[in-house]
């Protein structure tokens, strides 16, 4: 019985207050930012149509774009690495789909699968170079950024004498795989909502009687699916524990039997996979591929992850937080339009929110580690 008071003071069983437990959640910054952004635009642009069916679909679609690449970037950053080639990968992947499916006339499903294989292979190459040479992933993927962007410009110029290739939507007609990236679902549900007067319908023209929102784009379903997959992988599996261990202390993880190199390579491959999903959805939506697609997307993905609570040093973060960071991006980008604010201020917001997020993350790290 004499040992009971000492045991109660044991740090291993020390109780954490609900407030402190909330403060150390990686999603904290994303939750605060989401509430603040929605409140701000509800007051500033609430009557502009931003929160009607069509407005919600607009910013949801933009947010979904950020979410897809943020999931891959989040898992990779938690593992302690960066991938600056994501934006170039998006442009490259879209161009490869166009070259294979339109220029070379391959079946679109073949073009899509071959594109995925090539891009994931580039992701694996990034990972192998990083783990085998010990070079910083920042440098390795910066080189890949230029290589892929160069290929994205050179290949279509050489073959087609132009850097924009159209005809993708026509080439994808009747294909079994293309709708997985370019179709819309639940159209009948939205038609019922329109007939019931719950959402607006077109009143004149060829689309009279049709709902202003005719379905949910597959882009959004991909975003939701990847968020769920990433969250479950990170929080409910042994591999998720390995990701945290690798980003926290790779050498210590090796001593405990964690396959550090394999984890990092797989995370680079998954990041490339997410970028390719984004690219294929994009070209199916626009019906064309352009050499300038994906510019600065790598930085937007990283900023979304940082807003979501991930530490730049690795070992800490949340897929849900990254998704909230991406949602903030989408709402702000479209909210500025609905509020009739100069769209160039969106870049100002990126810089401000990044600075605030890093300051918040630094404060959280000090709470966790006890640093001063």
């Amino acid at each position: 019985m004499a040992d009971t008071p000492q045991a109660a003071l044991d740090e291993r069983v020390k109780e954490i207050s609900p407030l402190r437990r909330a403060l150390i959640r990686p999603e904290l910054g994303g939750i605060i930012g989401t509430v603040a952004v929605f409140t701000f635009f509800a007051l500033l642009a609430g009557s502009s149509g931003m929160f009607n069916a069509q407005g919600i679909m607009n910013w949801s679609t933009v947010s979904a774009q950020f979410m897809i690449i943020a999931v891959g970037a989040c898992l990779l950053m938690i593992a302690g690495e960066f991938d600056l080639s994501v934006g170039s990968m998006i442009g490259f992947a879209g161009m490869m789909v166009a070259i294979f499916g339109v220029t070379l006339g391959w079946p679109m499903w073949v073009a899509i699968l071959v594109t995925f294989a090539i891009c994931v292979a580039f992701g694996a190459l990034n990972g192998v170079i990083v783990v085998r040479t010990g070079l910083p992933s920042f440098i390795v993927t910066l080189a890949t950024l230029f290589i892929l962007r160069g290929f994205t410009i050179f290949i279509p110029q050489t073959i087609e004498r132009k850097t924009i290739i159209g005809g993708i939507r026509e080439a994808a007609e009747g294909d079994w795989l293309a709708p997985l990236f370019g179709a819309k679902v639940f159209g009948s549900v939205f038609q019922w909502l329109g007939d019931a007067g719950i959402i607006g319908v077109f009143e004149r023209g060829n689309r009279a009687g049709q709902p202003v929102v005719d379905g949910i784009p597959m882009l959004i379903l991909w975003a939701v699916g990847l968020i769920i997959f990433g969250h479950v992988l990170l929080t409910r599996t042994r591999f998720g524990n390995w990701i945290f261990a690798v980003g926290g202390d790779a050498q210590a993880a090796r001593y405990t039997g964690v396959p550090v190199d394999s984890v990092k390579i797989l995370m680079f491959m998954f990041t490339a996979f997410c970028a390719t999903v984004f690219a294929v959805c994009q070209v199916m939506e626009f019906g064309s591929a352009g050499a300038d697609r994906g510019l600065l997307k790598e930085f937007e993905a990283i900023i979304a992850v940082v807003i979501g609570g991930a530490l730049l040093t690795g070992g800490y973060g949340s897929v849900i937080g990254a998704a909230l960071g991406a949602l903030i991006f989408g709402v702000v980008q479209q909210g500025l339009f609905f509020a009739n604010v100069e769209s160039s201020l969106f870049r100002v917001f990126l810089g401000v929110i990044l600075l605030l997020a890093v300051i918040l993350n630094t404060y959280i790290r000090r709470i966790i580690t006890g640093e001063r």
Side-chain angles (χ1 to χ4, degrees):
M1 296 295 292
D3 293 335
T4 302
Q6 183 178 358
L9 297 175
D10 193 332
E11 286 292 328
R12 293 172 297 178
V13 294
K14 183 178 179 180
E15 293 187 2
I16 301 176
S17 69
L19 176 60
R20 188 172 188 275
R21 189 179 294 113
L23 285 175
I24 63 176
R25 291 295 302 171
E27 301 92 350
L28 177 65
I31 293 173
I32 294 174
T34 301
V35 172
V37 164
F38 271 95
T39 301
F40 176 77
F41 283 108
L43 296 174
L44 187 65
S47 61
S48 65
M50 180 176 176
F51 295 102
N52 63 22
Q54 193 169 17
I56 291 173
M57 186 58 65
N58 285 342
W59 54 256
S60 295
T61 302
V62 174
S63 297
Q65 296 175 356
F66 292 122
M67 288 176 185
I68 289 174
I69 54 178
V71 172
C74 177
L75 295 180
L76 183 61
M77 283 180 61
I78 294 174
E81 304 293 349
F82 291 91
D83 190 345
L84 296 183
S85 66
V86 168
S88 294
M89 184 75 74
I90 291 171
F92 175 78
M95 189 59 68
M96 289 302 97
V97 170
I99 292 293
F100 294 144
V102 177
T103 303
L104 300 183
W106 293 4
M108 189 55 65
W109 66 271
V110 176
I112 293 172
L113 292 180
V114 171
T115 298
F116 268 100
I118 293 173
C119 293
V120 171
F122 265 109
L125 180 61
N126 281 336
V128 169
I129 294 174
V130 168
V131 302
R132 293 291 176 84
T133 65
L135 291 172
S137 55
F138 175 90
I139 299 299
V140 174
T141 58
L142 181 62
T144 308
L145 178 154
F146 288 109
I147 292 170
L148 290 176
R149 187 62 68 182
F151 278 138
T152 305
I153 298 172
F154 172 77
I155 293 175
Q157 278 188 334
T158 302
I159 298 176
E160 291 276 13
R161 303 298 179 185
K162 55 187 178 182
T163 57
I164 299 177
I165 299 178
I168 294 177
R169 191 175 289 116
E170 292 76 12
E173 288 183 1
D175 189 83
W176 65 271
L177 184 59
L180 189 61
F181 299 90
K184 292 184 177 181
V185 295
F186 305 121
S188 59
V189 174
F190 285 93
Q191 183 64 59
W192 177 83
L193 292 173
D195 294 339
I198 299 175
I199 63 174
V201 297
F202 292 101
E203 298 182 355
R204 57 178 63 90
N206 296 332
R207 300 188 62 185
Q210 295 183 17
V212 293
V213 177
D214 56 358
I216 298 177
M218 287 302 300
L219 178 79
I220 294 179
L221 295 189
W222 270 106
V224 173
L226 287 171
I227 291 168
I228 294 173
F229 170 79
H231 178 70
V232 172
L233 177 70
L234 197 60
T235 62
R236 297 288 187 269
T237 69
R238 181 173 64 173
F239 191 85
N241 292 333
W242 288 353
I243 295 174
F244 281 115
V246 168
D249 190 330
Q251 195 58 46
R254 284 193 177 91
Y255 291 151
T256 59
V258 175
V260 173
D261 292 351
S262 297
V263 170
K264 289 191 176 186
I265 292 172
L266 286 172
M267 289 301 94
F268 275 106
M269 294 171 67
F270 182 66
T271 302
F273 174 84
C274 291
T276 308
V277 169
F278 178 103
V280 178
C281 289
Q282 187 181 65
V283 297
M284 291 299 166
E285 177 187 0
F286 294 158
S288 64
D292 61 343
R293 300 274 173 83
L295 289 174
L296 299 179
K297 290 299 180 186
E298 58 275 354
F299 296 106
E300 293 171 354
I302 291 173
I303 294 172
V305 176
V306 172
I307 294 173
L311 295 179
L312 297 174
T313 51
Y316 186 79
S318 164
V319 171
I320 299 300
L324 290 175
L327 177 61
I328 291 172
F329 273 10
V331 172
V332 170
Q333 189 178 71
Q334 293 299 298
L336 294 176
F337 169 77
F338 281 104
N340 293 319
V341 177
E342 174 57 44
S343 61
S344 60
L345 291 178
F346 177 62
R347 299 299 173 189
V348 176
F349 166 81
L350 293 187
V352 172
I353 198 66
L354 175 60
L355 181 60
L356 294 177
V358 171
I359 293 173
L360 178 61
N361 285 345
T362 300
Y363 177 68
I364 291 174
R365 185 177 71 248
R366 289 175 178 173
I367 292 177
I368 297 171
T369 63
E371 296 176 2
R372 293 187 177 181

